Structure formats: structure tokens, C-alpha cells
Amino acid sequence: MLLSRYLAAAAAAALAFGTLTAPAAAGEENGGAGCDPVVPAECLLPFPNDWYTVHDSGTDTGRRVSLSPAAMPHNVLGQGMDPAEWNRADGFSPGSMLLAQVPGLDLARTGAAPLTDIGASLRRDAPIVVVDADTGERWPYWAETDANATDPARQALIIRPARNFLEGHRYVVALRNLKDAAGHPIPAGDAFRTVTGPQLRRGHPLYERQQAMRGVEKALRRAEVPPKGLNLAWDFTVASERGLSERMLHIRDDSFAALGSASPSFTVTDVVDNPAVRQVRGTFQVPSYLNQPGGPPGSGFHYGSDGLPSQLPGNTQTALFQCEIPRSAFTHPAKPALYGHGLLGRESEVGSAPQLSLIAAHNLALCATRWQGMAEEDTLNVAATMGELGRFGTVADRLQQGVLNGLWLGKLMTHPDGLSSSPAFRSDSGSPVLDTGAELGYYGNSQGGIMGGMLTAVSTDVTKSVLGVPAMNYSTLLNRSVDFAPFQQIMDQAYPDKLTQQLGFALIQMLWDRGEANGYAQHMTSDPLPGTPRHQVLMHVAYGDHQVSPTAAEVEARTVGARIHTPVVAAGRNPDVVPYWGIPSLREPARGSAMVVWDSGSPYQPLTNTPPLAGRDPHSDPRRSPAAWDQMYTFLTTGVVADVCGRAACTASAG
């Protein structure tokens, strides 16, 4: 059903582009205003890049993004991307994929670190070097070329961090000793040789670019990266903690300050008693910080004079909720937990079979609302943004409002005057079925695992979360997910050039960071955001997942400091030189954050940026496992990661 909605949205959007003429020849506009001249293939390359920033003493990084409208990608309609939302940022995404284009590059002949050997990225002689210029530390990554590109001249080189970059830090990237498929050295481009050569006179077209490059060269010398064989180098600054999170923290703190000690208002609309559970549906009111009444799809933040989201007078959201309460709660009040639904879904997912089995096995009450921004009603808007990427801020802003709605539902679950004040949440004897004295938990799957990481990072009530089949960083996830196929149709019509598409992913990730786990991962666990407690997360990953790439889940685990259950999978199942590189082993039982891989026999995911198509999709298998339920409940109630797999690899039944 949901896939058919994706396809319908894709078809409608693609129709708008399908009869249009082709765009201008690739790269013919480069060299214009705002472009970096060192990579002539495409304006904005290499990216991210401090060439596209300016000094700003008013930001935490001392820089501000300054992208020009002429430099931004245009779709086949000629519609550019207004850079205003991007230019609010004081740096680039902490999960930035590093993009360049090197004609004739062969990564295997070059010896660049592939996905299967991340440790090789830290070799002293590695041909691709990423250095934290603030600390001198070499940064782990893997390199790949865009497997979706059909024109070698338009194939992106993609360097992905194996652990998110640190907020506010400056990084330097160097490509050296590159080779083509015949093993021949690839020379540096003319412009790069010029800016790294003898001092240019003032007024030379590349003088300013050379001045900026001198700082890069200095950082490389400090890192003991010699200039010999250098093909390309550049630097970029990562956005600060405040730059990434201040909008979300502001609407959280502003709304709860206005609420004070009261409970949010709510209305119960429907109660259904079943033999195993009671289902309660209703609505609740949340302040809206969006710029249209009620904040419908397509709306963005309304900003006040201080540059932060501001509530229009009287603007509220009527959010939906659905709760599933086990019969055991009618004699012993149940532990309350928020539930997060999957991609472009709705709150009713909380009542699906795996969740009902979980609460029947354990005395856990689950309530859900919608992830506004990427909920069912947002499908058409999300589809439209793939055809006009400049609109993507509306998705990111509504996602933050959706997280706020989740926080308010959590308050309703734990406040004595909240849901427990309604007869729908009381037993026949009048006792509450929710344990309002218990700490609120969180459990979500798929998109609920991704967005749950963000909700966890900003929640003052939840300190323990189970993230089912999670990951972060949609710029990594989209090409690697079967779910993106319908939206890929739209991008192919609107932005047919694959190099432009990769730039588009990198750009929208900068805004997506404000409304998904990637922008909050550094603070998800032991380094909390202001006014927020420390948290623990338990990540349940499906081996070979077709929808949410385990590759991106591993990056998240490294970033949040999770340890991994071992043995992870049976011998021979993982193709890596060092399987699960950089994720330390977990010795259970233990406290802290953890990643557990559940293997139901599906093949390993592709080693390229393409979706898995072989075998069956194991995406839903972990949530159906009784052993996984036991581990989840123990974690949510005690914070202990229990070994439920008998000191062996964890397996889940297929299907």
C-alpha cells in the first residue's frame, strides 16, 4: 500500500518533468560566479569546501556558508536553489560526503581504502588523506565512485567518513598519487597546479584562490603529507553544535517553558478493547513554529527577529496519537514508551503485529504520533522536493516540529494529569494503567530508528532508547535503499546528470541535519546537549537490510560510542578485512550503548552505493524476534544490555 503511494507520487512529479528539454551541457556553466576553479567539471566541486564560506565573528566557528545562487544546481526547468537556508549555517554537515571528480580515476589501481578495508584509510601512504586540522588526527573513511553514473566523465568520487566529523572542526582533504585503470599516474589539473605553484600577482584570476590554498598547504605540512604527487586538496569547516541544534532546542525549551508544570491538552476519540490489548486513539495540542496555520506539508519555520523559530500568535498543531496498552497493565501499571513509525507512515503502525507481540510479552505500553515532515501526508511534498531541491527546507523544518510533537506526547504519557487522567487509561477499578512514575522509554523502527536517534538526543525525559533497524545520514542512505527507487525516478527527470545528483544529496543533507539523527549523533549518548541528560541507545541492525543500510548504522555506532555484541555474525559472513572496524566489542551483561546485529540469512549488502536486490529483505526480522523483545525490555527498564544469544551470533527467523 505505501509503495503504491510512493509510485503514484513519483509518477505525478515525473510527469511534470518528462516533456521538458534536456539541461545545458554538463559543466558548461563552471567557472562562473561562486564556483571553485580548481575542479572545472562542476561548479561547487570539490564539496564541502571553505571556498564557499566567509569569515563571520558572530558564529561559533568564525565562518558562515556563503553559496551564491548562480553556483547552486538547477533542474531541467531552470529552477535554481535559493541558498538562503544553506547560508544560515556556520559550516557543513558532520556526516558530509566529500565530493570531487577526477577524470579516469581507478580507485583499485590507486589503492584507495574501500568499504571493506576502512583501516587502510589511516595508512601513512594512503592516496586519500583526511586530516582534522585542529588536532592533526587522521580521519577514517572509505572511498567509492558513484556506481549509478553511466558517463565516466560525470562520475563522482565520494569519500565518506567512517565516523562523523567533529562539530566546529576544520578538515583538510588531499588526493595524491592517483592512477587510471592502466596504472598510469593522473596529473593534477592546470588550475590546481597554478594555485599550488609560484606566487601569483595580485589581480591574477586565481590569486585569491591561491591565497586560500596556502592555509591548506600549511595544514598538510603539519600533518606530514608531502606535496609530491598531489592531485587535489581543499579544506572545509564542520557546523557547530549550536548551528546544528539551536532551532530544535529553541522550540523544545520555548514550548515547554510556556507549558510550565501543566499537562498538554488532549482528547480521546476512540477506545477499542481487545482480548490482549486496549487501543486508545486521540488528539493533542502542540504549539506550532511553522509559517502556516496548523503547519501543513510544505510549510517551513516562521522566524522571529532573533533568527530563531517563532510561534505565530495562536498557531497550534492538532497531533494524532494511538496507544496500545497490554492487559497486564490493568493489574500492574505498564512502563510507558514512545513508538516511532517507519518511512512516510503513520501512528497506527504502533498497533501492528510485532509491536503487539512485544507488549504482550512484556508489560510495556506504547504510544505513537506521526513524524511530521516524513509522515504519510508528507509523501507528495517529499516527492516534489526531489524535483526541486531548493524546497527541501520545508521537510527539515517539519521534521523538527514532528520531533517536538513526540516530546509533547511523551510528557502526556508521564504527567499525572496527562493521559492517566482519562478513564481510557484506567482499569475497571479506576487505577491508572500507565506507570507515570517510571522513566519514559523510546522504541522505533526504520525511520523510527533514524528519527529516534534525534529524539533521544534532545529529550529530557527519555534516557534509554531502542533504535530498531536504524542508521543516520540520508545522503549515504538514499542510493543504498530500495525505498528510494520511486523518488529516484523524479530526480532522474529533474536532475538527469548523476554528478549533479550527488551534489544535491550533499546539499540537502546540510538541512536534513537539523531534522535527523546525523546532526545530533555527537550528543546522542555521553556528550549531551545543553539542558539535556546523558542517554543510552541499543541499536538492533538487520544483516543485509534492503531498506536501511547497515553500512550507515556502523557509522552511527562509531559516532555515538556504541559497542558491538560479539560474535557479530557467523564466520565468513562479513567480507571486511577487519569486520566492524572501529566498533569495540561488548562484554554482556553491560551498561552503555550497544549495537546488535540480527542475522536471518540474507546476503551482505552491496559494496557500492546501490540498493540490495539479492535475496529476501530482512528489514523486519529483528522486531519479530522474542529474544530481541527480551533484550529490548531489559534495556529499557534497567539500562543493561543482556546477552540473549547464548554467547553466539544473534539470529532472527526469516520472515
Side-chain angles (χ1 to χ4, degrees):
M1 290 292 292
L2 193 55
L3 180 59
S4 66
R5 291 198 295 271
Y6 296 167
L7 291 169
L15 186 61
F17 296 102
T19 59
L20 298 174
T21 59
E28 71 180 23
E29 296 180 357
N30 199 18
C35 300
D36 188 338
V38 299
V39 177
E42 178 76 11
C43 194
L44 292 186
L45 289 182
F47 191 87
N49 189 341
D50 272 352
W51 183 248
Y52 305 118
T53 65
V54 293
H55 291 285
D56 188 336
S57 60
T59 70
D60 289 0
T61 64
R63 306 200 71 84
R64 183 169 297 282
V65 173
S66 182
L67 295 163
S68 79
M72 302 292 277
H74 288 62
N75 65 17
V76 294
L77 289 171
Q79 295 167 322
M81 299 168 64
D82 182 350
E85 276 303 313
W86 283 267
N87 290 346
R88 293 178 184 272
D90 63 359
F92 299 94
S93 170
S96 289
M97 55 176 178
L98 314 180
L99 294 173
Q101 202 279 330
V102 181
L105 175 63
D106 188 294
L107 288 177
R109 294 302 297 265
T110 296
L115 177 59
T116 52
D117 193 6
I118 289 171
S121 67
L122 303 180
R123 290 197 320 253
R124 188 173 183 84
D125 64 347
I128 298 174
V129 178
V130 182
V131 177
D132 184 330
D134 295 344
T135 66
E137 179 185 5
R138 294 273 291 269
W139 208 258
Y141 64 84
W142 77 91
E144 58 191 15
T145 50
D146 181 12
N148 304 286
T150 56
D151 180 358
R154 303 294 296 167
Q155 185 176 45
L157 166 63
I158 307 172
I159 305 161
R160 300 190 191 271
R163 182 174 72 246
N164 268 14
F165 299 116
L166 297 178
E167 295 164 345
H169 284 223
R170 173 174 163 256
Y171 290 82
V172 174
V173 187
L175 312 183
R176 56 185 180 171
N177 303 320
L178 305 183
K179 297 178 181 179
D180 62 19
H184 299 142
I186 297 175
D190 292 342
F192 185 74
R193 287 199 302 271
T194 299
V195 299
T196 55
Q199 182 66 36
L200 300 172
R201 69 183 187 281
R202 288 183 181 273
H204 189 283
L206 293 176
Y207 174 79
E208 294 296 335
R209 190 67 187 91
Q210 185 180 67
Q211 295 303 106
M213 186 61 70
R214 295 309 189 211
V216 174
E217 294 171 313
K218 182 179 179 180
L220 290 175
R221 286 194 298 271
R222 286 200 306 266
E224 299 181 349
V225 178
K228 184 179 179 180
L230 201 62
N231 293 77
L232 183 64
W234 74 95
D235 63 344
F236 66 96
T237 299
V238 179
S240 68
E241 171 191 306
R242 184 162 67 100
L244 290 162
S245 63
E246 71 172 340
R247 298 164 187 78
M248 183 67 233
L249 294 184
H250 173 73
I251 65 175
R252 179 197 72 180
D253 294 344
D254 183 68
S255 65
F256 279 111
L259 181 65
S261 60
S263 166
S265 61
F266 71 99
T267 301
V268 171
T269 59
D270 193 32
V271 179
V272 178
D273 278 307
N274 295 309
V277 298
R278 171 178 288 179
Q279 180 185 93
V280 183
R281 292 184 294 212
T283 62
F284 62 106
Q285 299 299 310
V286 189
S288 175
Y289 291 82
L290 300 172
N291 59 8
Q292 297 181 40
S299 56
F301 276 143
H302 170 256
Y303 284 100
S305 59
D306 59 359
L308 293 172
S310 175
Q311 187 181 2
L312 290 168
N315 196 13
T316 61
Q317 296 226 330
T318 300
L320 302 171
F321 74 82
Q322 181 169 322
C323 297
E324 302 292 339
I325 306 161
R327 280 291 157 189
S328 56
F330 288 75
T331 53
H332 300 286
K335 178 181 176 63
L338 290 167
Y339 180 77
H341 66 71
L343 179 64
L344 297 172
R346 55 190 302 174
E347 73 287 347
S348 59
E349 185 185 301
V350 71
S352 61
Q355 284 67 254
L356 295 182
S357 297
L358 166 65
I359 68 172
H362 299 285
N363 196 28
L364 188 68
L366 296 175
C367 293
T369 188
R370 295 188 183 183
W371 291 124
Q372 290 196 2
M374 291 183 71
E376 180 183 63
E377 66 268 22
D378 293 285
T379 303
L380 286 175
N381 186 58
V382 172
T385 65
M386 294 297 103
E388 188 182 346
L389 294 175
R391 296 177 49 179
F392 194 79
T394 63
V395 176
D397 290 352
R398 258 181 62 91
L399 279 170
Q400 292 168 84
Q401 177 70 47
V403 169
L404 181 67
N405 294 357
L407 297 177
W408 273 57
L409 177 58
K411 187 65 69 178
L412 267 175
M413 296 181 73
T414 56
H415 198 291
D417 297 328
L419 298 181
S420 290
S421 66
S422 167
F425 291 89
R426 291 186 172 269
S427 68
D428 293 340
S429 64
S431 61
V433 296
L434 299 179
D435 184 354
T436 56
E439 183 182 65
L440 181 69
Y442 176 85
Y443 171 47
N445 285 297
S446 195
Q447 183 178 287
I450 298 169
M451 294 300 302
M454 175 184 171
L455 182 141
T456 300
V458 302
S459 177
T460 58
D461 295 321
V462 173
T463 64
K464 301 176 190 67
S465 294
V466 176
L467 309 179
V469 286
M472 64 183 192
N473 195 337
Y474 281 94
S475 69
T476 299
L477 289 169
L478 294 181
N479 279 158
R480 286 176 153 87
S481 175
V482 295
D483 290 334
F484 189 61
F487 302 98
Q488 184 67 61
Q489 296 177 31
I490 302 171
M491 287 199 78
D492 288 342
Q493 292 285 347
Y495 302 92
D497 179 64
K498 293 298 183 180
L499 189 55
T500 302
Q501 287 185 17
Q502 293 302 326
L503 273 169
F505 291 144
L507 284 164
I508 63 175
Q509 187 60 50
M510 291 175 64
L511 304 189
W512 224 329
D513 280 348
R514 304 171 188 173
E516 69 116 321
N518 191 66
Y520 299 81
Q522 189 172 325
H523 308 287
M524 198 184 298
T525 55
S526 59
D527 179 18
L529 290 162
T532 313
R534 292 162 63 102
H535 304 93
Q536 294 173 246
V537 295
L538 173 61
M539 301 170 60
H540 277 184
V541 174
Y543 185 91
D545 197 325
H546 289 199
Q547 298 179 53
V548 179
S549 174
T551 295
E554 292 176 37
V555 177
E556 181 172 21
R558 294 186 195 100
T559 303
V560 307
R563 293 172 291 167
I564 193 165
H565 167 84
T566 54
V568 184
V569 291
R573 288 282 284 152
N574 188 296
D576 295 352
V577 172
V578 178
Y580 304 98
W581 181 93
I583 308 175
S585 296
L586 175 69
R587 298 188 181 277
E588 296 130 307
R591 293 182 179 273
S593 296
M595 172 175 160
V596 180
V597 177
W598 295 85
D599 188 354
S600 49
S602 293
Y604 195 76
Q605 62 268 19
L607 303 180
T608 54
N609 63 326
T610 53
L613 299 175
R616 59 174 297 279
D617 184 3
H619 183 67
S620 298
D621 293 346
R623 75 187 76 173
R624 295 191 177 104
S625 168
W629 303 338
D630 292 344
Q631 188 178 60
M632 288 190 289
Y633 186 75
T634 299
F635 181 80
L636 289 174
T637 53
T638 68
V640 171
V641 181
D643 180 6
V644 295
C645 302
R647 300 185 180 179
C650 291
T651 59
S653 298

